[in-house]
Amino acid sequence: VGYVQVSAYSGFTTVTIKIRHSPDNSVWADLMTFTAVTTAPVAERKTVTGTTDRYLSVTGTVTGSGSITPFVGFSRS
């Protein structure tokens, strides 16, 4: 289960947040992509099925310039 919560957002056109995973901390693949953020406050919870690799990272793609305060979490069940 992945979570994203954005408490503050200004200036950007959009921000897309992804959780990525890797078996070896070298080769990365997208695990889940959250809905593009265009305002705050906003929160989203997503689930994934199948294998989740050992290493996790968060990446964000921004359009425009501005500031954002995100929280991203992931829980294995």
Side-chain angles (χ1 to χ4, degrees):
V1 178
Y3 305 90
V4 66
Q5 180 176 340
V6 176
S7 59
Y9 178 93
S10 67
F12 292 115
T13 303
T14 60
V15 175
T16 302
I17 298 171
K18 297 180 181 184
I19 295 178
R20 306 184 78 205
H21 64 148
S22 170
D24 57 7
N25 200 25
S26 179
V27 177
W28 294 89
D30 292 347
L31 181 62
M32 61 179 57
T33 303
F34 295 97
T35 303
V37 177
T38 58
T39 188
V42 68
E44 185 176 5
R45 176 185 185 268
K46 294 189 83 159
T47 59
V48 63
T49 58
T51 302
T52 300
D53 292 327
R54 178 178 180 185
Y55 300 97
L56 296 174
S57 71
V58 175
T59 185
T61 304
V62 300
T63 303
S65 62
S67 66
I68 185 171
T69 304
F71 165 82
V72 181
F74 189 86
S75 175
R76 295 180 171 146
S77 55

